[in-house]
Amino acid sequence: MRLDAVELSIVKLPLVRPFATSFGRMAHREFLLAAVSSDGIVGWGECVADADPYDSSETTASAWHVLTRYLVPAVLGRRIGDPRETHAAWHRVRGHSMAKAALEMAIWDLAARAAGKPLCEFIGGTPRPIPAGVSIGIEGSVSALVERVRIELAAGYRRVKITIRPGWDREPVAAIRSQVGDVPLVVDADGAYRPEDLAALQALDVFDLMMIEQPLGYDDLVRHARLQTDLRTPICLDESITGPDRAADAIELQSCRAINVKPGRMGGIGPSLAVHDLAAQHGIPLWPGGMLESGIGRAHNLHLATLPGFTLPGDIAASRRYFAPDLIDPPIDVIPGGVVPVPEGIGIGVDPVPARLEAATIHLERFNA
């Protein structure tokens, strides 16, 4: 498979509802799409970096620079037998996992389409509906949060995740438990706490949470290991798991009891497969995360989640919850039973609607071999 061309687009879409975390409030999503071509077949990937360096040190602008200056030239015109080979081509480029993931995932989609297989089968998964969870940002009041939880449960989601931060933790969790009941509940701290906040985190142990996601700093495995010994609630790591080596370190240190796998954060499908196999060896449950992707990135996440190690409901919600319309049609949706079907067809099974992509694109560049 020879890469004949790569097309990069910077796209901006309004969110249906602003999404607030400990980093700030987001009303639009700006992201980068990669399309790779070989013999008339096109594969798609999406970069999860945002315009600002708050959730990650990578940004849309930095990803564009690294892709155009280093990553695309390293693979353009090259014959690739296995998509895993792309990382070998980039061995001199340190970091920039989100930029790498956008192109690597597009190459996985291309390879699966060239083989005439759905991506899930191409990577060894079994096509199956994926249990749907939903992520809720920080609302304006506790009552507004409780109402949002009720709305999402009525829409069919099996698991709810809410964002917490110091001062917004015990009260909203207690309100959900008292007013909504025994819903499977996760809290996500986005690294907002410090070791001295132990009492606030221990106060959540009484609420039978599925897990606390990323309570401490994004690059801190040692203090997470210490914290886990002081909590009954399992810790799930997200931002800390940037690839297989970090996952191995976290498992050895016992820094967590679950892992949120985001292929767009850890360099793509290849590194995610390695993390999956490593976690399976050690009995660590996985769940598929999301980073406000459009249907392109969302479809990749769904295909990855068909692997057997993904046993917990993830964050792959319906497209219309975030974008109306999404770039793809038909959109990804939650169906009765609280599951999300994996898109049918070869590759990731979806493509952008040309008119929608054109309307949302603010910058475009094509590179030919």
Side-chain angles (χ1 to χ4, degrees), residues 202-239:
Q202 286 179 321
L204 300 175
D205 273 339
V206 301
F207 295 110
D208 192 27
L209 300 174
M210 291 181 66
M211 64 192 78
I212 300 175
E213 184 179 351
Q214 198 68 43
L216 305 180
Y218 73 94
D219 58 351
D220 194 338
L221 296 180
V222 172
R223 289 172 182 80
H224 273 112
R226 293 172 183 164
L227 177 63
Q228 183 64 93
T229 64
D230 292 324
L231 294 178
R232 294 198 304 272
T233 305
I235 289 175
C236 170
L237 290 182
D238 172 10
E239 288 91 344

PDB file of all heavy atoms in Angstrom, residues 202-239:
ATOM      1  N   GLN A 202     -11.314  11.123  49.864  1.00  0.00           N
ATOM      2  CA  GLN A 202     -11.802  10.030  50.710  1.00  0.00           C
ATOM      3  C   GLN A 202     -13.285  10.195  51.030  1.00  0.00           C
ATOM      4  O   GLN A 202     -14.002   9.202  51.217  1.00  0.00           O
ATOM      5  CB  GLN A 202     -10.998   9.969  52.006  1.00  0.00           C
ATOM      6  CG  GLN A 202      -9.599   9.400  51.830  1.00  0.00           C
ATOM      7  CD  GLN A 202      -8.822   9.377  53.132  1.00  0.00           C
ATOM      8  OE1 GLN A 202      -8.914  10.314  53.948  1.00  0.00           O
ATOM      9  NE2 GLN A 202      -8.047   8.317  53.367  1.00  0.00           N
ATOM     10  N   ALA A 203     -13.766  11.443  51.054  1.00  0.00           N
ATOM     11  CA  ALA A 203     -15.181  11.686  51.339  1.00  0.00           C
ATOM     12  C   ALA A 203     -16.086  11.101  50.257  1.00  0.00           C
ATOM     13  O   ALA A 203     -17.291  10.905  50.484  1.00  0.00           O
ATOM     14  CB  ALA A 203     -15.433  13.189  51.473  1.00  0.00           C
ATOM     15  N   LEU A 204     -15.520  10.794  49.089  1.00  0.00           N
ATOM     16  CA  LEU A 204     -16.310  10.223  47.999  1.00  0.00           C
ATOM     17  C   LEU A 204     -16.432   8.709  48.104  1.00  0.00           C
ATOM     18  O   LEU A 204     -17.235   8.101  47.382  1.00  0.00           O
ATOM     19  CB  LEU A 204     -15.680  10.597  46.648  1.00  0.00           C
ATOM     20  CG  LEU A 204     -15.570  12.098  46.349  1.00  0.00           C
ATOM     21  CD1 LEU A 204     -14.822  12.315  45.038  1.00  0.00           C
ATOM     22  CD2 LEU A 204     -16.952  12.743  46.287  1.00  0.00           C
ATOM     23  N   ASP A 205     -15.653   8.086  48.990  1.00  0.00           N
ATOM     24  CA  ASP A 205     -15.675   6.630  49.113  1.00  0.00           C
ATOM     25  C   ASP A 205     -17.053   6.098  49.497  1.00  0.00           C
ATOM     26  O   ASP A 205     -17.400   4.963  49.165  1.00  0.00           O
ATOM     27  CB  ASP A 205     -14.650   6.167  50.155  1.00  0.00           C
ATOM     28  CG  ASP A 205     -13.260   5.963  49.561  1.00  0.00           C
ATOM     29  OD1 ASP A 205     -13.142   5.783  48.334  1.00  0.00           O
ATOM     30  OD2 ASP A 205     -12.287   5.982  50.341  1.00  0.00           O
ATOM     31  N   VAL A 206     -17.849   6.876  50.204  1.00  0.00           N
ATOM     32  CA  VAL A 206     -19.141   6.388  50.711  1.00  0.00           C
ATOM     33  C   VAL A 206     -20.196   6.288  49.614  1.00  0.00           C
ATOM     34  O   VAL A 206     -21.275   5.730  49.850  1.00  0.00           O
ATOM     35  CB  VAL A 206     -19.671   7.283  51.845  1.00  0.00           C
ATOM     36  CG1 VAL A 206     -18.680   7.313  52.993  1.00  0.00           C
ATOM     37  CG2 VAL A 206     -19.960   8.694  51.342  1.00  0.00           C
ATOM     38  N   PHE A 207     -19.916   6.811  48.409  1.00  0.00           N
ATOM     39  CA  PHE A 207     -20.949   6.903  47.380  1.00  0.00           C
ATOM     40  C   PHE A 207     -20.916   5.773  46.352  1.00  0.00           C
ATOM     41  O   PHE A 207     -21.631   5.820  45.346  1.00  0.00           O
ATOM     42  CB  PHE A 207     -20.849   8.252  46.665  1.00  0.00           C
ATOM     43  CG  PHE A 207     -21.138   9.421  47.565  1.00  0.00           C
ATOM     44  CD1 PHE A 207     -20.128  10.290  47.943  1.00  0.00           C
ATOM     45  CD2 PHE A 207     -22.420   9.629  48.055  1.00  0.00           C
ATOM     46  CE1 PHE A 207     -20.384  11.369  48.777  1.00  0.00           C
ATOM     47  CE2 PHE A 207     -22.697  10.703  48.894  1.00  0.00           C
ATOM     48  CZ  PHE A 207     -21.679  11.569  49.262  1.00  0.00           C
ATOM     49  N   ASP A 208     -20.095   4.753  46.589  1.00  0.00           N
ATOM     50  CA  ASP A 208     -20.056   3.574  45.717  1.00  0.00           C
ATOM     51  C   ASP A 208     -19.846   3.964  44.253  1.00  0.00           C
ATOM     52  O   ASP A 208     -20.594   3.542  43.359  1.00  0.00           O
ATOM     53  CB  ASP A 208     -21.353   2.763  45.866  1.00  0.00           C
ATOM     54  CG  ASP A 208     -21.241   1.385  45.221  1.00  0.00           C
ATOM     55  OD1 ASP A 208     -20.110   0.863  45.129  1.00  0.00           O
ATOM     56  OD2 ASP A 208     -22.278   0.861  44.774  1.00  0.00           O
ATOM     57  N   LEU A 209     -18.839   4.762  44.011  1.00  0.00           N
ATOM     58  CA  LEU A 209     -18.510   5.173  42.649  1.00  0.00           C
ATOM     59  C   LEU A 209     -17.808   4.035  41.914  1.00  0.00           C
ATOM     60  O   LEU A 209     -17.087   3.221  42.503  1.00  0.00           O
ATOM     61  CB  LEU A 209     -17.583   6.391  42.675  1.00  0.00           C
ATOM     62  CG  LEU A 209     -18.122   7.653  43.359  1.00  0.00           C
ATOM     63  CD1 LEU A 209     -17.031   8.709  43.423  1.00  0.00           C
ATOM     64  CD2 LEU A 209     -19.348   8.180  42.619  1.00  0.00           C
ATOM     65  N   MET A 210     -18.011   3.977  40.601  1.00  0.00           N
ATOM     66  CA  MET A 210     -17.270   3.008  39.796  1.00  0.00           C
ATOM     67  C   MET A 210     -15.777   3.307  39.851  1.00  0.00           C
ATOM     68  O   MET A 210     -14.959   2.391  39.931  1.00  0.00           O
ATOM     69  CB  MET A 210     -17.742   3.050  38.340  1.00  0.00           C
ATOM     70  CG  MET A 210     -19.131   2.529  38.099  1.00  0.00           C
ATOM     71  SD  MET A 210     -19.569   2.612  36.337  1.00  0.00           S
ATOM     72  CE  MET A 210     -18.405   1.435  35.631  1.00  0.00           C
ATOM     73  N   MET A 211     -15.420   4.602  39.813  1.00  0.00           N
ATOM     74  CA  MET A 211     -14.012   4.997  39.839  1.00  0.00           C
ATOM     75  C   MET A 211     -13.901   6.507  39.940  1.00  0.00           C
ATOM     76  O   MET A 211     -14.864   7.235  39.672  1.00  0.00           O
ATOM     77  CB  MET A 211     -13.288   4.506  38.577  1.00  0.00           C
ATOM     78  CG  MET A 211     -13.804   5.117  37.293  1.00  0.00           C
ATOM     79  SD  MET A 211     -13.194   4.289  35.794  1.00  0.00           S
ATOM     80  CE  MET A 211     -14.258   2.826  35.754  1.00  0.00           C
ATOM     81  N   ILE A 212     -12.718   6.956  40.338  1.00  0.00           N
ATOM     82  CA  ILE A 212     -12.334   8.360  40.250  1.00  0.00           C
ATOM     83  C   ILE A 212     -11.290   8.457  39.151  1.00  0.00           C
ATOM     84  O   ILE A 212     -10.224   7.842  39.237  1.00  0.00           O
ATOM     85  CB  ILE A 212     -11.745   8.887  41.575  1.00  0.00           C
ATOM     86  CG1 ILE A 212     -12.760   8.758  42.714  1.00  0.00           C
ATOM     87  CG2 ILE A 212     -11.294  10.337  41.421  1.00  0.00           C
ATOM     88  CD1 ILE A 212     -12.192   9.147  44.080  1.00  0.00           C
ATOM     89  N   GLU A 213     -11.592   9.224  38.129  1.00  0.00           N
ATOM     90  CA  GLU A 213     -10.687   9.320  36.990  1.00  0.00           C
ATOM     91  C   GLU A 213      -9.697  10.472  37.174  1.00  0.00           C
ATOM     92  O   GLU A 213     -10.095  11.594  37.467  1.00  0.00           O
ATOM     93  CB  GLU A 213     -11.496   9.524  35.704  1.00  0.00           C
ATOM     94  CG  GLU A 213     -10.656   9.547  34.442  1.00  0.00           C
ATOM     95  CD  GLU A 213     -11.496   9.728  33.196  1.00  0.00           C
ATOM     96  OE1 GLU A 213     -12.747   9.667  33.290  1.00  0.00           O
ATOM     97  OE2 GLU A 213     -10.904   9.959  32.121  1.00  0.00           O
ATOM     98  N   GLN A 214      -8.425  10.155  37.019  1.00  0.00           N
ATOM     99  CA  GLN A 214      -7.324  11.121  37.002  1.00  0.00           C
ATOM    100  C   GLN A 214      -7.449  12.184  38.101  1.00  0.00           C
ATOM    101  O   GLN A 214      -7.543  13.378  37.814  1.00  0.00           O
ATOM    102  CB  GLN A 214      -7.236  11.798  35.637  1.00  0.00           C
ATOM    103  CG  GLN A 214      -5.899  12.491  35.365  1.00  0.00           C
ATOM    104  CD  GLN A 214      -4.739  11.515  35.219  1.00  0.00           C
ATOM    105  OE1 GLN A 214      -4.866  10.485  34.569  1.00  0.00           O
ATOM    106  NE2 GLN A 214      -3.604  11.856  35.815  1.00  0.00           N
ATOM    107  N   PRO A 215      -7.413  11.792  39.381  1.00  0.00           N
ATOM    108  CA  PRO A 215      -7.536  12.803  40.431  1.00  0.00           C
ATOM    109  C   PRO A 215      -6.330  13.736  40.525  1.00  0.00           C
ATOM    110  O   PRO A 215      -6.493  14.931  40.798  1.00  0.00           O
ATOM    111  CB  PRO A 215      -7.690  11.976  41.710  1.00  0.00           C
ATOM    112  CG  PRO A 215      -7.155  10.623  41.367  1.00  0.00           C
ATOM    113  CD  PRO A 215      -7.424  10.427  39.917  1.00  0.00           C
ATOM    114  N   LEU A 216      -5.112  13.213  40.293  1.00  0.00           N
ATOM    115  CA  LEU A 216      -3.904  14.013  40.463  1.00  0.00           C
ATOM    116  C   LEU A 216      -3.291  14.395  39.114  1.00  0.00           C
ATOM    117  O   LEU A 216      -3.884  14.157  38.065  1.00  0.00           O
ATOM    118  CB  LEU A 216      -2.887  13.248  41.316  1.00  0.00           C
ATOM    119  CG  LEU A 216      -3.380  12.775  42.687  1.00  0.00           C
ATOM    120  CD1 LEU A 216      -2.272  12.026  43.421  1.00  0.00           C
ATOM    121  CD2 LEU A 216      -3.885  13.938  43.528  1.00  0.00           C
ATOM    122  N   GLY A 217      -2.100  14.959  39.141  1.00  0.00           N
ATOM    123  CA  GLY A 217      -1.458  15.505  37.961  1.00  0.00           C
ATOM    124  C   GLY A 217      -1.311  14.525  36.815  1.00  0.00           C
ATOM    125  O   GLY A 217      -1.168  13.310  37.015  1.00  0.00           O
ATOM    126  N   TYR A 218      -1.296  15.043  35.613  1.00  0.00           N
ATOM    127  CA  TYR A 218      -1.305  14.219  34.407  1.00  0.00           C
ATOM    128  C   TYR A 218      -0.060  13.349  34.258  1.00  0.00           C
ATOM    129  O   TYR A 218      -0.094  12.306  33.592  1.00  0.00           O
ATOM    130  CB  TYR A 218      -1.476  15.103  33.170  1.00  0.00           C
ATOM    131  CG  TYR A 218      -0.247  15.924  32.804  1.00  0.00           C
ATOM    132  CD1 TYR A 218       0.676  15.453  31.881  1.00  0.00           C
ATOM    133  CD2 TYR A 218      -0.015  17.161  33.396  1.00  0.00           C
ATOM    134  CE1 TYR A 218       1.798  16.202  31.564  1.00  0.00           C
ATOM    135  CE2 TYR A 218       1.097  17.908  33.080  1.00  0.00           C
ATOM    136  CZ  TYR A 218       2.009  17.423  32.157  1.00  0.00           C
ATOM    137  OH  TYR A 218       3.117  18.170  31.844  1.00  0.00           O
ATOM    138  N   ASP A 219       1.058  13.749  34.870  1.00  0.00           N
ATOM    139  CA  ASP A 219       2.296  13.000  34.693  1.00  0.00           C
ATOM    140  C   ASP A 219       2.770  12.347  35.996  1.00  0.00           C
ATOM    141  O   ASP A 219       3.934  11.982  36.121  1.00  0.00           O
ATOM    142  CB  ASP A 219       3.396  13.919  34.155  1.00  0.00           C
ATOM    143  CG  ASP A 219       3.658  15.117  35.070  1.00  0.00           C
ATOM    144  OD1 ASP A 219       2.885  15.319  36.018  1.00  0.00           O
ATOM    145  OD2 ASP A 219       4.648  15.840  34.824  1.00  0.00           O
ATOM    146  N   ASP A 220       1.861  12.151  36.937  1.00  0.00           N
ATOM    147  CA  ASP A 220       2.247  11.694  38.269  1.00  0.00           C
ATOM    148  C   ASP A 220       1.724  10.283  38.537  1.00  0.00           C
ATOM    149  O   ASP A 220       0.550  10.102  38.876  1.00  0.00           O
ATOM    150  CB  ASP A 220       1.714  12.666  39.322  1.00  0.00           C
ATOM    151  CG  ASP A 220       2.348  12.467  40.687  1.00  0.00           C
ATOM    152  OD1 ASP A 220       2.863  11.363  40.934  1.00  0.00           O
ATOM    153  OD2 ASP A 220       2.342  13.420  41.483  1.00  0.00           O
ATOM    154  N   LEU A 221       2.590   9.296  38.391  1.00  0.00           N
ATOM    155  CA  LEU A 221       2.201   7.927  38.684  1.00  0.00           C
ATOM    156  C   LEU A 221       2.475   7.554  40.136  1.00  0.00           C
ATOM    157  O   LEU A 221       1.720   6.792  40.744  1.00  0.00           O
ATOM    158  CB  LEU A 221       2.950   6.956  37.759  1.00  0.00           C
ATOM    159  CG  LEU A 221       2.659   7.058  36.269  1.00  0.00           C
ATOM    160  CD1 LEU A 221       3.476   6.017  35.506  1.00  0.00           C
ATOM    161  CD2 LEU A 221       1.172   6.876  35.981  1.00  0.00           C
ATOM    162  N   VAL A 222       3.546   8.082  40.706  1.00  0.00           N
ATOM    163  CA  VAL A 222       3.941   7.705  42.071  1.00  0.00           C
ATOM    164  C   VAL A 222       2.891   8.148  43.087  1.00  0.00           C
ATOM    165  O   VAL A 222       2.464   7.363  43.951  1.00  0.00           O
ATOM    166  CB  VAL A 222       5.319   8.306  42.413  1.00  0.00           C
ATOM    167  CG1 VAL A 222       5.641   8.091  43.887  1.00  0.00           C
ATOM    168  CG2 VAL A 222       6.400   7.673  41.541  1.00  0.00           C
ATOM    169  N   ARG A 223       2.457   9.391  43.014  1.00  0.00           N
ATOM    170  CA  ARG A 223       1.476   9.880  43.983  1.00  0.00           C
ATOM    171  C   ARG A 223       0.102   9.253  43.765  1.00  0.00           C
ATOM    172  O   ARG A 223      -0.670   9.097  44.715  1.00  0.00           O
ATOM    173  CB  ARG A 223       1.414  11.405  43.936  1.00  0.00           C
ATOM    174  CG  ARG A 223       2.667  12.055  44.517  1.00  0.00           C
ATOM    175  CD  ARG A 223       2.704  13.551  44.312  1.00  0.00           C
ATOM    176  NE  ARG A 223       3.942  14.139  44.834  1.00  0.00           N
ATOM    177  CZ  ARG A 223       5.103  14.117  44.178  1.00  0.00           C
ATOM    178  NH1 ARG A 223       5.183  13.557  42.978  1.00  0.00           N
ATOM    179  NH2 ARG A 223       6.188  14.654  44.713  1.00  0.00           N
ATOM    180  N   HIS A 224      -0.213   8.875  42.533  1.00  0.00           N
ATOM    181  CA  HIS A 224      -1.456   8.127  42.320  1.00  0.00           C
ATOM    182  C   HIS A 224      -1.389   6.768  43.007  1.00  0.00           C
ATOM    183  O   HIS A 224      -2.385   6.294  43.567  1.00  0.00           O
ATOM    184  CB  HIS A 224      -1.726   7.942  40.813  1.00  0.00           C
ATOM    185  CG  HIS A 224      -2.474   9.074  40.191  1.00  0.00           C
ATOM    186  ND1 HIS A 224      -1.919   9.932  39.279  1.00  0.00           N
ATOM    187  CD2 HIS A 224      -3.762   9.499  40.353  1.00  0.00           C
ATOM    188  CE1 HIS A 224      -2.811  10.831  38.895  1.00  0.00           C
ATOM    189  NE2 HIS A 224      -3.942  10.590  39.547  1.00  0.00           N
ATOM    190  N   ALA A 225      -0.220   6.135  42.975  1.00  0.00           N
ATOM    191  CA  ALA A 225      -0.070   4.845  43.654  1.00  0.00           C
ATOM    192  C   ALA A 225      -0.272   5.002  45.165  1.00  0.00           C
ATOM    193  O   ALA A 225      -0.946   4.186  45.808  1.00  0.00           O
ATOM    194  CB  ALA A 225       1.312   4.261  43.361  1.00  0.00           C
ATOM    195  N   ARG A 226       0.283   6.064  45.726  1.00  0.00           N
ATOM    196  CA  ARG A 226       0.091   6.317  47.155  1.00  0.00           C
ATOM    197  C   ARG A 226      -1.370   6.617  47.464  1.00  0.00           C
ATOM    198  O   ARG A 226      -1.932   6.139  48.459  1.00  0.00           O
ATOM    199  CB  ARG A 226       0.965   7.486  47.591  1.00  0.00           C
ATOM    200  CG  ARG A 226       2.469   7.206  47.528  1.00  0.00           C
ATOM    201  CD  ARG A 226       3.266   8.466  47.785  1.00  0.00           C
ATOM    202  NE  ARG A 226       4.705   8.256  47.655  1.00  0.00           N
ATOM    203  CZ  ARG A 226       5.590   9.228  47.534  1.00  0.00           C
ATOM    204  NH1 ARG A 226       5.172  10.508  47.538  1.00  0.00           N
ATOM    205  NH2 ARG A 226       6.870   8.965  47.414  1.00  0.00           N
ATOM    206  N   LEU A 227      -1.998   7.403  46.606  1.00  0.00           N
ATOM    207  CA  LEU A 227      -3.398   7.762  46.824  1.00  0.00           C
ATOM    208  C   LEU A 227      -4.292   6.531  46.760  1.00  0.00           C
ATOM    209  O   LEU A 227      -5.229   6.396  47.566  1.00  0.00           O
ATOM    210  CB  LEU A 227      -3.834   8.792  45.780  1.00  0.00           C
ATOM    211  CG  LEU A 227      -5.302   9.229  45.817  1.00  0.00           C
ATOM    212  CD1 LEU A 227      -5.619   9.916  47.138  1.00  0.00           C
ATOM    213  CD2 LEU A 227      -5.620  10.155  44.647  1.00  0.00           C
ATOM    214  N   GLN A 228      -4.014   5.611  45.812  1.00  0.00           N
ATOM    215  CA  GLN A 228      -4.871   4.437  45.679  1.00  0.00           C
ATOM    216  C   GLN A 228      -4.882   3.597  46.948  1.00  0.00           C
ATOM    217  O   GLN A 228      -5.912   3.006  47.307  1.00  0.00           O
ATOM    218  CB  GLN A 228      -4.423   3.595  44.491  1.00  0.00           C
ATOM    219  CG  GLN A 228      -5.299   2.379  44.215  1.00  0.00           C
ATOM    220  CD  GLN A 228      -6.726   2.743  43.822  1.00  0.00           C
ATOM    221  OE1 GLN A 228      -7.056   2.865  42.665  1.00  0.00           O
ATOM    222  NE2 GLN A 228      -7.605   2.899  44.818  1.00  0.00           N
ATOM    223  N   THR A 229      -3.767   3.577  47.682  1.00  0.00           N
ATOM    224  CA  THR A 229      -3.744   2.810  48.933  1.00  0.00           C
ATOM    225  C   THR A 229      -4.621   3.450  50.001  1.00  0.00           C
ATOM    226  O   THR A 229      -5.029   2.778  50.958  1.00  0.00           O
ATOM    227  CB  THR A 229      -2.300   2.686  49.477  1.00  0.00           C
ATOM    228  OG1 THR A 229      -1.805   3.985  49.815  1.00  0.00           O
ATOM    229  CG2 THR A 229      -1.387   2.038  48.449  1.00  0.00           C
ATOM    230  N   ASP A 230      -4.920   4.742  49.854  1.00  0.00           N
ATOM    231  CA  ASP A 230      -5.733   5.458  50.841  1.00  0.00           C
ATOM    232  C   ASP A 230      -7.203   5.573  50.443  1.00  0.00           C
ATOM    233  O   ASP A 230      -7.992   6.177  51.174  1.00  0.00           O
ATOM    234  CB  ASP A 230      -5.174   6.872  51.047  1.00  0.00           C
ATOM    235  CG  ASP A 230      -3.814   6.872  51.728  1.00  0.00           C
ATOM    236  OD1 ASP A 230      -3.593   6.012  52.604  1.00  0.00           O
ATOM    237  OD2 ASP A 230      -2.963   7.715  51.377  1.00  0.00           O
ATOM    238  N   LEU A 231      -7.562   5.037  49.289  1.00  0.00           N
ATOM    239  CA  LEU A 231      -8.942   5.116  48.811  1.00  0.00           C
ATOM    240  C   LEU A 231      -9.521   3.724  48.609  1.00  0.00           C
ATOM    241  O   LEU A 231      -8.830   2.810  48.140  1.00  0.00           O
ATOM    242  CB  LEU A 231      -9.004   5.862  47.465  1.00  0.00           C
ATOM    243  CG  LEU A 231      -8.637   7.346  47.441  1.00  0.00           C
ATOM    244  CD1 LEU A 231      -8.712   7.863  46.006  1.00  0.00           C
ATOM    245  CD2 LEU A 231      -9.553   8.161  48.343  1.00  0.00           C
ATOM    246  N   ARG A 232     -10.807   3.555  48.933  1.00  0.00           N
ATOM    247  CA  ARG A 232     -11.504   2.331  48.562  1.00  0.00           C
ATOM    248  C   ARG A 232     -11.938   2.382  47.109  1.00  0.00           C
ATOM    249  O   ARG A 232     -11.995   1.360  46.432  1.00  0.00           O
ATOM    250  CB  ARG A 232     -12.724   2.129  49.474  1.00  0.00           C
ATOM    251  CG  ARG A 232     -12.389   1.879  50.934  1.00  0.00           C
ATOM    252  CD  ARG A 232     -13.562   1.254  51.675  1.00  0.00           C
ATOM    253  NE  ARG A 232     -14.779   2.061  51.566  1.00  0.00           N
ATOM    254  CZ  ARG A 232     -15.107   3.044  52.393  1.00  0.00           C
ATOM    255  NH1 ARG A 232     -14.276   3.362  53.391  1.00  0.00           N
ATOM    256  NH2 ARG A 232     -16.232   3.708  52.252  1.00  0.00           N
ATOM    257  N   THR A 233     -12.281   3.566  46.640  1.00  0.00           N
ATOM    258  CA  THR A 233     -12.740   3.733  45.259  1.00  0.00           C
ATOM    259  C   THR A 233     -11.580   3.514  44.294  1.00  0.00           C
ATOM    260  O   THR A 233     -10.491   4.055  44.501  1.00  0.00           O
ATOM    261  CB  THR A 233     -13.307   5.146  45.055  1.00  0.00           C
ATOM    262  OG1 THR A 233     -14.331   5.384  46.026  1.00  0.00           O
ATOM    263  CG2 THR A 233     -13.887   5.296  43.657  1.00  0.00           C
ATOM    264  N   PRO A 234     -11.796   2.728  43.228  1.00  0.00           N
ATOM    265  CA  PRO A 234     -10.716   2.530  42.252  1.00  0.00           C
ATOM    266  C   PRO A 234     -10.332   3.838  41.564  1.00  0.00           C
ATOM    267  O   PRO A 234     -11.189   4.674  41.261  1.00  0.00           O
ATOM    268  CB  PRO A 234     -11.323   1.547  41.234  1.00  0.00           C
ATOM    269  CG  PRO A 234     -12.436   0.869  41.964  1.00  0.00           C
ATOM    270  CD  PRO A 234     -12.987   1.895  42.920  1.00  0.00           C
ATOM    271  N   ILE A 235      -9.046   4.011  41.341  1.00  0.00           N
ATOM    272  CA  ILE A 235      -8.558   5.119  40.520  1.00  0.00           C
ATOM    273  C   ILE A 235      -8.451   4.626  39.081  1.00  0.00           C
ATOM    274  O   ILE A 235      -7.954   3.532  38.816  1.00  0.00           O
ATOM    275  CB  ILE A 235      -7.188   5.620  41.009  1.00  0.00           C
ATOM    276  CG1 ILE A 235      -7.328   6.356  42.338  1.00  0.00           C
ATOM    277  CG2 ILE A 235      -6.525   6.528  39.967  1.00  0.00           C
ATOM    278  CD1 ILE A 235      -5.999   6.776  42.950  1.00  0.00           C
ATOM    279  N   CYS A 236      -8.918   5.440  38.162  1.00  0.00           N
ATOM    280  CA  CYS A 236      -8.734   5.203  36.736  1.00  0.00           C
ATOM    281  C   CYS A 236      -7.789   6.276  36.212  1.00  0.00           C
ATOM    282  O   CYS A 236      -7.966   7.459  36.515  1.00  0.00           O
ATOM    283  CB  CYS A 236     -10.062   5.270  35.988  1.00  0.00           C
ATOM    284  SG  CYS A 236      -9.889   5.286  34.183  1.00  0.00           S
ATOM    285  N   LEU A 237      -6.792   5.887  35.445  1.00  0.00           N
ATOM    286  CA  LEU A 237      -5.882   6.858  34.850  1.00  0.00           C
ATOM    287  C   LEU A 237      -6.248   7.114  33.390  1.00  0.00           C
ATOM    288  O   LEU A 237      -6.614   6.202  32.652  1.00  0.00           O
ATOM    289  CB  LEU A 237      -4.431   6.386  34.962  1.00  0.00           C
ATOM    290  CG  LEU A 237      -3.854   6.403  36.378  1.00  0.00           C
ATOM    291  CD1 LEU A 237      -2.402   5.975  36.359  1.00  0.00           C
ATOM    292  CD2 LEU A 237      -3.999   7.786  37.026  1.00  0.00           C
ATOM    293  N   ASP A 238      -6.122   8.373  33.015  1.00  0.00           N
ATOM    294  CA  ASP A 238      -6.461   8.832  31.669  1.00  0.00           C
ATOM    295  C   ASP A 238      -5.268   9.583  31.089  1.00  0.00           C
ATOM    296  O   ASP A 238      -4.458   9.030  30.344  1.00  0.00           O
ATOM    297  CB  ASP A 238      -7.715   9.715  31.745  1.00  0.00           C
ATOM    298  CG  ASP A 238      -8.051  10.397  30.431  1.00  0.00           C
ATOM    299  OD1 ASP A 238      -7.448  10.074  29.403  1.00  0.00           O
ATOM    300  OD2 ASP A 238      -8.935  11.281  30.432  1.00  0.00           O
ATOM    301  N   GLU A 239      -5.112  10.857  31.464  1.00  0.00           N
ATOM    302  CA  GLU A 239      -4.027  11.672  30.923  1.00  0.00           C
ATOM    303  C   GLU A 239      -2.640  11.065  31.187  1.00  0.00           C
ATOM    304  O   GLU A 239      -1.707  11.287  30.418  1.00  0.00           O
ATOM    305  CB  GLU A 239      -4.076  13.091  31.499  1.00  0.00           C
ATOM    306  CG  GLU A 239      -5.214  13.944  30.976  1.00  0.00           C
ATOM    307  CD  GLU A 239      -6.472  13.857  31.819  1.00  0.00           C
ATOM    308  OE1 GLU A 239      -6.575  12.906  32.632  1.00  0.00           O
ATOM    309  OE2 GLU A 239      -7.351  14.722  31.671  1.00  0.00           O
TER     310      GLU A 239
END
